[in-house]
Amino acid sequence: MIADAAMRLFRRDGYDGTTMRAIATEAGVSVGNAYYYFSSKEHLIQAFYDGMQVEHADAAVAVLAREKDFEPRLRGVLEAWLDVAAPNHEFAGQFFKNAADPESPLSPFSDESTPARAASTELYRRVVDGADIKIAPGLRAELPGLLWLLQMGFVLFWVYDKSPDQARTRALVTQGTPIVDRLVRLARLPVVRGIVDDLVKVVAGLRSE
Amino acid sequence: MIADAAMRLFRRDGYDGTTMRAIATEAGVSVGNAYYYFSSKEHLIQAFYDGMQVEHADAAVAVLAREKDFEPRLRGVLEAWLDVAAPNHEFAGQFFKNAADPESPLSPFSDESTPARAASTELYRRVVDGADIKIAPGLRAELPGLLWLLQMGFVLFWVYDKSPDQARTRALVTQGTPIVDRLVRLARLPVVRGIVDDLVKVVAGLRSE
DNA sequence: GGTCATTCTTGAACACGTTCAACTCACCCA
DNA sequence: TGGGTGAGTTGAACGTGTTCAAGAATGACC
């Protein structure tokens, strides 16, 4: 209820333009009561955050059922994210800075975000596992995590994208995914394999610490 | 004077722990006067930001005079940044969120940061130009920009790095730069060249818009 | 019904970043 | 000398996110 009121106002007035007092009034409660349920203004975003992830997962399911090749699967999932996120682009940037704070629970790298991160990585595991593509053995286990990281890169670009309808990000996805596809295929070549294995080793080593 | 006072307090009490009133008192002026010279608390960081860049450039000069091979040059420059930045790690994270805000002038992608970004890219151009390494013709022009982006990635990792003395970031640099070195050499191979050219084309296309 | 503990709810109060009308001061020109 | 201009300086005041002591409401147990 309070979260709904917050979302309405966030969409209408932006994140910074919405005060906790306004949210409380809109929800018909006192300011203190809003803080009883959400320990900060930031936490009000988490609900929205989670909702978007679920929406994305749903949209991705349709894509993965339809596409069999790796590139369309990856592209479809990324474009699904863009579709889901598009209505919120304007104020997404405003709370992006909160997500970037290493201390914030909203940070994609935080402990609190571990479930969301795992769910998202799992999505990319399905992208990889269901695809008609041969993957270098060493790369297979790490690829979903790397694709999640790639998505974070696209999100970063999207947040900064001021072009109408975020056309630049869409173009980047369209042009980028074929390159990723070719990179993954390339990774099986003997000359390239060694370096890919080293790269995977570094990534795996970082995560295990 | 005001900036100096601010830096002293930032280092002692952190960014969030330092109030504008405290800064003004420390500098022996009124709050309003501090705002006469710095239009926001954020702008007080810019001075510090610029100072660090100059320090880094100086440290890099020594490295570039000493090393001739590409990998040590790249690694040296990155490690120089870590050395310069180390004393500020604790409170760097606190204002990192401000830098991440797309609207903030502190953002590395903002218009206001263009000079700093250009200076930093120029540094990596010197890393590349002075190195004993053959570079694929198509890659040569874009490599400095890509290395700057790589540094941004390391900085991101560094900000989140909670290990003592940021040992994990140092390890990542140590293990990462040889891989970059090999990737750059690999880019000259006929099988790899096509994909590198496409990648460069996408990057160049994005920047020209 | 009465008592107690727990959960929920309130709004005044706090500290903060920021703004602004008022003021001081230095300097110049007639 | 007088007055005017513009840069420099002030601190009270504003709106913000957040806290907290105090009070309601709820429900469990005798």
Side-chain angles (χ1 to χ4, degrees):
Chain A
M1 212 49 164
I2 295 174
D4 294 345
M7 270 312 119
R8 265 197 304 281
L9 296 184
F10 284 163
R11 272 196 232 265
R12 200 187 66 193
D13 305 327
Y15 180 71
D16 291 335
T18 303
T19 71
M20 287 302 285
R21 285 161 182 83
I23 293 170
T25 304
E26 173 87 5
V29 297
S30 69
V31 195
N33 196 232
Y35 276 92
Y36 183 78
Y37 290 102
F38 297 90
S39 60
S40 75
K41 193 179 174 185
E42 259 186 293
H43 275 78
L44 276 165
I45 299 173
Q46 190 78 54
F48 162 77
Y49 222 71
D50 296 343
M52 208 168 81
Q53 160 127 10
V54 170
E55 249 190 282
H56 179 216
D58 287 350
V61 163
V63 172
L64 297 183
R66 190 173 65 234
E67 305 290 349
K68 290 297 154 205
D69 289 336
F70 176 66
E71 192 274 334
R73 284 168 80 86
L74 175 61
R75 180 162 40 81
V77 167
L78 288 170
E79 284 171 346
W81 188 89
L82 288 177
D83 292 337
V84 167
N88 310 303
H89 182 264
E90 200 166 346
F91 78 102
Q94 292 190 327
F95 66 72
F96 178 73
K97 63 163 174 245
N98 297 84
D101 184 355
E103 309 295 335
S104 167
L106 287 180
S107 159
F109 305 106
S110 73
D111 289 343
E112 288 89 339
S113 292
T114 303
R117 195 167 60 246
S120 194
T121 307
E122 176 56 30
L123 180 59
Y124 285 106
R125 187 174 309 282
R126 289 215 298 278
V127 168
V128 173
D129 283 350
D132 289 336
I133 189 175
K134 280 207 167 65
I135 296 170
L139 185 58
R140 177 144 218 132
E142 291 298 333
L143 192 53
L146 290 173
L147 291 178
W148 174 80
L149 208 58
L150 180 71
Q151 174 181 302
M152 290 301 105
F154 280 122
V155 170
L156 181 66
F157 190 89
W158 177 83
V159 165
Y160 281 88
D161 188 353
K162 294 221 188 322
S163 65
D165 293 324
Q166 298 85 54
R168 295 186 69 201
T169 308
R170 296 202 104 95
L172 185 60
V173 169
T174 310
Q175 296 165 4
T177 51
I179 294 179
V180 172
D181 179 79
R182 286 164 67 194
L183 279 173
V184 171
R185 291 171 198 277
L186 211 61
R188 295 181 64 231
L189 285 189
V191 256
V192 186
R193 215 163 195 170
I195 197 171
V196 170
D197 285 346
D198 283 0
L199 195 68
V200 165
K201 217 174 293 171
V202 171
V203 174
L206 284 176
R207 218 191 7 205
S208 70
E209 276 177 51
Chain B
M1 215 48 169
I2 295 174
D4 294 345
M7 270 312 118
R8 264 196 307 278
L9 296 185
F10 284 163
R11 272 196 233 262
R12 201 187 65 195
D13 304 327
Y15 180 70
D16 292 336
T18 304
T19 72
M20 287 300 286
R21 286 162 179 83
I23 293 171
T25 305
E26 173 87 5
V29 298
S30 68
V31 195
N33 197 231
Y35 276 92
Y36 183 79
Y37 291 102
F38 297 90
S39 60
S40 75
K41 195 178 174 186
E42 258 186 294
H43 276 78
L44 277 165
I45 298 173
Q46 190 75 55
F48 160 78
Y49 222 71
D50 296 344
M52 210 169 78
Q53 160 127 9
V54 170
E55 248 189 284
H56 179 217
D58 287 350
V61 164
V63 172
L64 296 183
R66 190 173 66 234
E67 305 290 350
K68 290 298 153 203
D69 289 336
F70 176 67
E71 193 273 333
R73 284 169 80 86
L74 176 60
R75 182 162 39 81
V77 167
L78 288 170
E79 284 170 346
W81 189 88
L82 289 177
D83 291 338
V84 167
N88 311 303
H89 181 264
E90 199 165 348
F91 78 100
Q94 292 189 328
F95 66 72
F96 177 72
K97 64 163 173 243
N98 296 85
D101 183 356
E103 308 296 335
S104 168
L106 287 179
S107 159
F109 304 106
S110 74
D111 289 343
E112 287 88 340
S113 292
T114 303
R117 195 168 59 244
S120 195
T121 306
E122 176 57 28
L123 180 58
Y124 285 105
R125 187 175 309 283
R126 290 216 296 280
V127 167
V128 173
D129 282 351
D132 288 336
I133 189 175
K134 282 208 166 66
I135 296 170
L139 184 59
R140 179 143 216 132
E142 293 297 333
L143 192 52
L146 290 173
L147 291 177
W148 174 80
L149 209 57
L150 180 72
Q151 175 181 301
M152 290 301 104
F154 281 122
V155 170
L156 182 65
F157 190 88
W158 176 83
V159 165
Y160 281 90
D161 189 354
K162 295 221 186 325
S163 65
D165 292 326
Q166 298 84 54
R168 295 186 68 202
T169 307
R170 297 202 104 94
L172 185 60
V173 168
T174 310
Q175 296 165 2
T177 52
I179 293 179
V180 173
D181 180 79
R182 285 164 67 195
L183 279 174
V184 171
R185 291 171 198 278
L186 210 62
R188 293 181 67 231
L189 284 190
V191 257
V192 187
R193 216 164 194 166
I195 199 170
V196 170
D197 286 346
D198 284 359
L199 194 69
V200 165
K201 217 173 292 173
V202 171
V203 173
L206 284 176
R207 219 194 6 207
S208 69
E209 277 175 49

